[in-house]
Amino acid sequence: MNYRHNPELTENAKELRRNMTKEEKHLWYDFLKDYPVRFLRQKVIDDYIADFYCHKAKLIIELDGSQHYTKDGLFKDKIRTERIEKRNLTVLRIPNGEINHNFEGICRFIDEFVKESLRQPSADTSL
């Protein structure tokens, strides 16, 4: 499946890579960067920038700070997740507090999810 890449978001994605939150840095540098299956940071997919993206596992990981738990934030995240999941991708939303207080558990959860995803047959080889 081909994903539309919005070139207007490219500079914003680069800026977000340069200025990751402390939770994004922790997950990236202490787990995903050297994970055996490749993850990308701040990947533009359609009109969104995903915090972390794994093509092989068809997985997007979103780290959610407090702004995601307002009425408006919850509504926007619901729409975003629905649109992304129509692309046959799974969105894992992880609260920042879980990164700060249960990092090892979150890493095990991501690892198990990726391994299970790779066991499933995949017809999509693009992106």
Side-chain angles (χ1 to χ4, degrees):
M1 175 179 289
N2 289 321
Y3 302 100
R4 221 172 15 96
H5 178 86
N6 182 340
E8 295 174 14
L9 294 178
T10 301
E11 284 305 312
N12 192 16
K14 288 178 183 178
E15 183 64 27
L16 290 170
R17 274 184 225 115
R18 286 189 292 268
N19 295 300
M20 291 189 294
T21 67
K22 72 179 179 104
E23 291 83 7
E24 289 171 339
K25 286 179 186 177
H26 187 23
L27 186 60
W28 177 251
Y29 288 109
D30 298 329
F31 184 64
L32 295 177
K33 181 177 181 271
D34 296 320
Y35 190 75
V37 179
R38 184 175 183 213
F39 274 85
L40 300 173
R41 297 177 291 157
Q42 308 302 337
K43 172 70 174 159
V44 177
I45 296 177
D46 294 336
D47 292 325
Y48 302 106
I49 301 173
D51 290 341
F52 301 101
Y53 169 72
C54 178
H55 173 71
K56 285 188 177 183
K58 297 182 183 179
L59 174 63
I60 289 176
I61 299 171
E62 290 290 324
L63 300 187
D64 291 346
S66 59
Q67 73 276 15
H68 291 271
Y69 299 102
T70 65
K71 185 176 180 177
D72 187 50
L74 290 167
F75 177 74
K76 287 179 180 177
D77 286 347
K78 180 179 184 291
I79 299 298
R80 173 185 171 118
T81 297
E82 288 171 356
R83 288 184 180 162
I84 289 171
E85 287 179 343
K86 285 181 182 176
R87 297 279 192 185
N88 200 27
L89 298 169
T90 298
V91 178
L92 294 181
R93 303 198 81 80
I94 301 171
N96 282 343
E98 287 296 308
I99 297 295
N100 294 323
H101 302 293
N102 185 22
F103 186 71
E104 288 181 21
I106 291 298
C107 294
R108 278 193 305 274
F109 177 71
I110 293 169
D111 182 54
E112 289 171 12
F113 185 92
V114 170
K115 287 176 180 174
E116 182 60 30
S117 295
L118 296 178
R119 286 187 199 99
Q120 304 302 315
S122 173
D124 177 30
T125 58
S126 62
L127 189 65

